[in-house]
Amino acid sequence: MVSLFYETVHSVNARDYSREQVEAWAALEDISERINLWKRSLNENLTFVVKVNDRIVGFADLTFKGYLNRLFVHKEYQRQGIASLLVDKLEREAKGLKLQAIETESSITAKVFFTHRGYVTVRQQTVERKGVNLTNFKMRKELSATSFHE
């Protein structure tokens, strides 16, 4: 999953972020540290993975408080419904937990995807990674009986 994250940021997100920003966000030298951190957090969260021929092509996770922490789809599997499948599942799980809303911090790249799914931009924000500023968007979706795609 960490490799998929790295490759996605360096290919897909590179359309909306500079090389310096991409390197700060997903640095090669951070992979081993990220693996250790993600093992814990992915096990603590609701985490779903999509595989094709035993290859991970997408994953997403949601905290039990309703924070959609990660959503990444392999560069070769973009625009095939994988992100929608994952978010549909997370939204159903969130409703089952009686959560009122899901919040996320969307990249510039994913903002249109989330907007089409009914997420509303709360604010644009700047986050700092390794001394480099990146723009993202705090987004929120209120959950109701009809708020997810089936």
Side-chain angles (χ1 to χ4, degrees):
M1 285 191 270
V2 170
S3 294
L4 187 152
F5 158 77
Y6 177 85
E7 291 174 19
T8 301
V9 170
H10 282 264
S11 58
V12 177
N13 296 103
R15 292 181 295 220
D16 299 304
Y17 294 92
S18 70
R19 181 175 178 83
E20 180 187 33
Q21 289 171 317
V22 165
E23 282 297 324
W25 182 1
L28 190 57
E29 64 268 13
D30 295 340
I31 286 181
S32 60
E33 179 184 349
R34 190 175 304 272
I35 288 169
N36 292 329
L37 291 171
W38 282 22
K39 277 182 187 178
R40 187 180 72 246
S41 67
L42 289 168
N43 283 323
E44 291 172 354
N45 297 343
L46 292 168
T47 303
F48 297 98
V49 174
V50 174
K51 288 184 175 182
V52 174
N53 298 324
D54 290 326
R55 178 183 188 192
I56 295 174
V57 298
F59 68 95
D61 69 311
L62 180 78
T63 70
F64 285 91
K65 292 186 177 186
Y67 179 70
L68 197 162
N69 194 18
R70 288 168 279 238
L71 172 64
F72 290 95
V73 175
H74 191 281
K75 64 185 178 183
E76 295 171 12
Y77 290 85
Q78 296 283 311
R79 300 196 170 276
Q80 295 182 28
I82 293 169
S84 292
L85 178 76
L86 288 163
V87 174
D88 284 345
K89 180 67 173 165
L90 291 178
E91 289 177 4
R92 281 193 298 274
E93 293 291 326
K95 287 181 62 155
L97 292 170
K98 307 279 191 261
L99 296 176
Q100 300 299 308
I102 293 178
E103 293 187 345
T104 194
E105 293 177 84
S106 171
S107 66
I108 295 167
T109 313
K111 185 175 184 276
V112 171
F113 169 80
F114 284 112
T115 299
H116 281 125
R117 294 192 56 87
Y119 287 74
V120 175
T121 301
V122 175
R123 68 179 172 274
Q124 180 175 322
Q125 54 191 18
T126 301
V127 295
E128 185 259 325
R129 298 282 184 269
K130 296 185 173 189
V132 177
N133 289 333
L134 294 94
T135 298
N136 73 12
F137 301 89
K138 176 92 170 174
M139 300 186 80
R140 179 179 175 90
K141 181 176 182 178
E142 299 295 326
L143 298 176
S144 67
T146 59
S147 66
F148 61 90
H149 303 81
E150 292 202 55

